[in-house]
Amino acid sequence: MRDPYAETTPGEATARRPAEPLMTREKAAELGRAGAALAVLLLAIAVVVAAIS
């Protein structure tokens, strides 16, 4: 990987792009879907274990 900021001298000003937000609506929606899928999977495992015992 190439680091463009490593190629500048210490006194040289560099313009950095603003950081992206850590959580966007799309990421939040995907996280919600993944959490729901995990909950369904754990519930299914619990039902199978309860049925066996």
Side-chain angles (χ1 to χ4, degrees):
M1 289 177 52
R2 182 179 160 275
D3 185 7
Y5 302 109
E7 299 171 1
T8 60
T9 60
E12 186 178 349
T14 57
R16 289 185 179 239
R17 293 179 300 177
E20 294 181 8
L22 291 177
M23 185 61 67
T24 62
R25 288 181 193 236
E26 292 82 16
K27 288 181 184 177
E30 186 174 350
L31 185 61
R33 286 190 300 270
L38 182 60
V40 168
L41 179 64
L42 291 176
L43 185 61
I45 292 172
V47 167
V48 168
V49 168
I52 290 174
S53 59

